[in-house]
Amino acid sequence: EVLRALPWVAGVAPQGDALRVDAPAERAAELSTALAAQGIAVAELRPSAGTLEDFFLTITRANDDGG
């Protein structure tokens, strides 16, 4: 709930033993601060890179929507 309350967080989902947060990479410090304020320690923050398959699906879906 802490992360979902941040207006710039687009999504939060568990991923294995980690938590995937859809947020701008440049807001990582704010994200860590928000969690720390609630007593939640962050072991690691790192941006995720999309796969080539993700990119392909994104552009083909966009093309299907009107192109």
Side-chain angles (χ1 to χ4, degrees):
E1 288 190 36
V2 173
L3 299 177
R4 288 188 178 100
L6 299 172
W8 39 266
V9 171
V12 179
Q15 189 173 35
D17 62 349
L19 192 61
R20 183 179 183 96
V21 180
D22 185 3
E26 62 271 9
R27 306 221 56 178
E30 293 170 78
L31 190 135
S32 181
T33 300
L35 291 170
Q38 298 297 314
I40 302 168
V42 176
E44 180 181 6
L45 286 174
R46 62 182 156 141
S48 68
T51 64
L52 184 56
E53 180 181 7
D54 293 335
F55 176 71
F56 175 78
L57 292 173
T58 299
I59 63 170
T60 57
R61 285 183 188 140
N63 197 21
D64 286 345
D65 288 343

